Amino acid sequence: MPEAPKNTQKPTDYSLELKNKKTLQFIEDVTSNADGVQKKVLEEILSRNAHVEYLQRHGLNGHTDRETFKKVMPVITYEDIQPHIDRIANGDTSPILCSKPISEFLTSSGTSGGERKLMPTIEEELGRRSLLYSLLMPVMSQFVPGLDKGKGMYFLFIKSEAKTPSGLVARPVLTSYYKSSHFKDRPYDPYTNYTSPNETILCPDSYQSMYSQMLCGLCQHKEVLRVGAVFASGFIRAIRFLEKHWPLLCKDIRAGTVDAQITDQPVREAVMKILKPDPKLADFIEAECSKDSWQGIITRLWPNTKYVDVIVTGTMSQYIPTLDYYSNGLPLVCTMYASSECYFGVNLKPLCKPSEVSYTLIPTMAYFEFLPVHRNNGVTNSISVPKSLNEKEQQQLVDLVDVKLGQEYELVVTTYAGLYRYRVGDVLRVAGFKNKAPQFNFICRKNVVLSIDSDKTDEVELQHAVKNAVNHLLPFDATLAEYTSYADTTTIPGHYVLYWELSLNGTTPIPPSVFEDCCLTIEESLNSVYRQGRVCDKSIGPLEIKIVEPGTFDKLMDYAISLGASINQYKTPRCVKFAPIVELLNSRAVSSYFSPKCPKWLPGRKQWNMN
Ligand code: AMP
């Protein structure tokens, strides 16, 4: 049995049980009365914000009912409200979108014009986010008892922040949350009892943060009952870090010291409170880590672990085999679905298979609407969602309780912070209902073709980047005949691979440095989230171009047609995932080149005057 955490303020089992019961009852109540709650949420948002410029401009005239709202207010994307957001960022404090002061901007991993989208938020939204977090462990404890008797080893990080010209902070939502008192000053709770001291999570240097969190996790290895990170990619990064740094970590554990590279004083002090010289533990870790195989390393080093808590839905599903390998098939648990715009919902059956995960939207979080999505017929089965909606399409949006089982929808939110009928960009499928509230499978994010970590690259961005790169081929009288791409997660970190088929008219051979320049130009042309992943988080490896033999893309077409694609409608896919197609491309690769260095990246936006 794992050792109980040594904390004198430990609540009694009875009070914890009572708290869990109350939380589960809350979920019962809001899902049973989902429509009533949604109506109230919309009324509340609209009555508070009746005088804001955006609602007045559209002529809502203080109405708070759904019908008028739906008739008058357009369904929008980020680009539609960007001028308003820019005004706020530039210092206009009048009530433009929201009657409450905008406390900061949350920088989304979704981009617009190559830069992170800026989501306005207000102070009270932190309370809503905390509420969603507070639902997770009571749900989990129904399926895995005793989680209060040990700790969670979670690798959590903050990212750099910037200031808008008006001085508002712009940072990712999790950075905002970890830095808030809701997280930092949380009262003792056995469910938020982590192996990482706050100081290690809040350390801005990613190496020091990871090193100290890993050190603390190893020292408390017997107490650990669950491990995780936000996304699967982040957890795999932690394992990779351990693979590289275990000798140094063992040295510290053996001697009870903290390596000199950890210079952050609060981090050193926090770690020293946990660390004690433990040669036996160091021997044990050394023995495990120096074995040839790292299969099951999680369960070997943290033997009481019951599950791995990471998001493996959406593009993160590409990491499931790697996680299964390292964890010896422990349950992979996806607990929640959230975004910078708003936190959405929780998984009420956390031990289900990753492919069956569904999220129950919590009706108090925001007002939700759903735009039906249609699949194109044919092999591609691609999702078609119009970019801007005509009046008829705007009327097709349905309310939370009116979605149909099996149907796919794009999520549209109206938030307390001033987004009205905003298209989040996620496609969801109704998998079932919890009382009256629907449960959704996450299907995909619209248009994203490539993703390794939190980067999301769409086809247009890729096309633009490739176009910039092929300029390097002009002096050689070579052109790009065809290309496609692949997110290769077999390497750690994963990286983008582009397959290029060239038409060579010139006689001068193209030197490798030219292809390397092409790789770098593509990286320089990709959005800021990609470049941050390359430069700052090192969560994405150097981009690779593989040159394939002439005729490869004809073979690709033949293969697609053999699977049923129509010759007339066939278009080269700009991204491939299907293993046999990737194999076909790899078998015809004649050379391969990598980006020789990192692209440029700076926090904030180009146009902001950074100090
Ligand atoms: P961000 O705006 O950077 O916070 O990213 C939010 C986006 O991440 C969402 O709109 C989804 O596309 C994706 N996301 C968040 N949670 C999940 C989840 N549980 N499963 C799949 N994708 C998710």
Side-chain angles (χ1 to χ4, degrees), residues 106-110 116-117 119 172-174 230-231 310-317 334-345 357 359 411 424-428 441-446 448 454 456 529:
L106 302 176
T107 55
S108 162
S109 57
R116 284 173 179 269
K117 291 175 185 169
M119 296 300 163
V173 61
L174 290 174
V230 178
F231 288 109
V310 283
I311 291 176
V312 285
T313 40
T315 55
M316 289 292 151
S317 61
C334 297
T335 55
M336 63 187 278
Y337 168 44
S339 78
S340 313
E341 290 87 341
C342 164
Y343 277 24
F344 305 122
V357 170
Y359 299 102
L411 178 62
V424 174
D426 290 343
V427 176
L428 312 173
N441 300 134
F442 181 91
I443 300 300
C444 64
R445 190 160 174 104
K446 262 182 339 187
V448 170
S454 50
K456 300 171 172 66
V529 180

Side-chain angles (χ1 to χ4, degrees), residues 107-139:
T107 55
S108 162
S109 57
T111 55
S112 171
E115 302 279 359
R116 284 173 179 269
K117 291 175 185 169
L118 296 177
M119 296 300 163
T121 193
I122 53 177
E123 197 63 38
E124 67 171 51
E125 278 293 286
L126 275 164
R128 254 173 229 109
R129 282 174 219 133
S130 295
L131 179 125
L132 202 87
Y133 284 124
S134 76
L135 308 181
L136 306 180
M137 289 308 287
V139 169

Side-chain angles (χ1 to χ4, degrees), residues 37 136 141 203 213 219 224 234 272 275 291 320 325 378 383 422 477 538 546 549 583 592:
V37 174
L136 306 180
S141 63
C203 172
Q213 293 194 52
C219 289
V224 171
M272 282 314 289
L275 199 63
K291 285 185 183 155
I320 293 173
Y325 176 82
I383 284 176
Y422 178 89
D477 210 3
K538 312 259 185 295
K546 287 187 178 178
E549 284 169 25
E583 269 165 39
S592 141

Side-chain angles (χ1 to χ4, degrees), residues 435-484:
N435 297 318
K436 294 282 165 37
Q439 304 179 296
F440 293 95
N441 300 134
F442 181 91
I443 300 300
C444 64
R445 190 160 174 104
K446 262 182 339 187
N447 302 331
V448 170
V449 290
L450 286 168
S451 173
I452 294 288
D453 189 27
S454 50
D455 53 303
K456 300 171 172 66
T457 298
D458 70 29
E459 212 170 297
V460 177
E461 286 171 315
L462 185 65
Q463 170 72 22
H464 165 74
V466 168
K467 195 170 138 237
N468 289 345
V470 293
N471 286 332
H472 293 293
L473 303 179
L474 291 178
F476 301 91
D477 210 3
T479 51
L480 185 62
E482 273 294 7
Y483 77 93
T484 191

Side-chain angles (χ1 to χ4, degrees), residues 328-392:
N328 252 347
L330 279 177
L332 303 177
V333 171
C334 297
T335 55
M336 63 187 278
Y337 168 44
S339 78
S340 313
E341 290 87 341
C342 164
Y343 277 24
F344 305 122
V346 296
N347 177 3
L348 296 180
K349 289 187 218 119
L351 291 186
C352 71
K353 282 195 264 172
S355 57
E356 285 164 14
V357 170
S358 67
Y359 299 102
T360 304
L361 297 201
I362 300 299
T364 55
M365 299 306 291
Y367 174 62
F368 299 112
E369 292 176 274
F370 300 86
L371 175 65
V373 164
H374 303 288
R375 292 262 178 181
N376 292 336
N377 289 329
V379 253
T380 57
N381 205 16
S382 65
I383 284 176
S384 102
V385 197
K387 210 167 160 36
S388 62
L389 303 185
N390 60 34
E391 222 163 89
K392 190 165 155 247

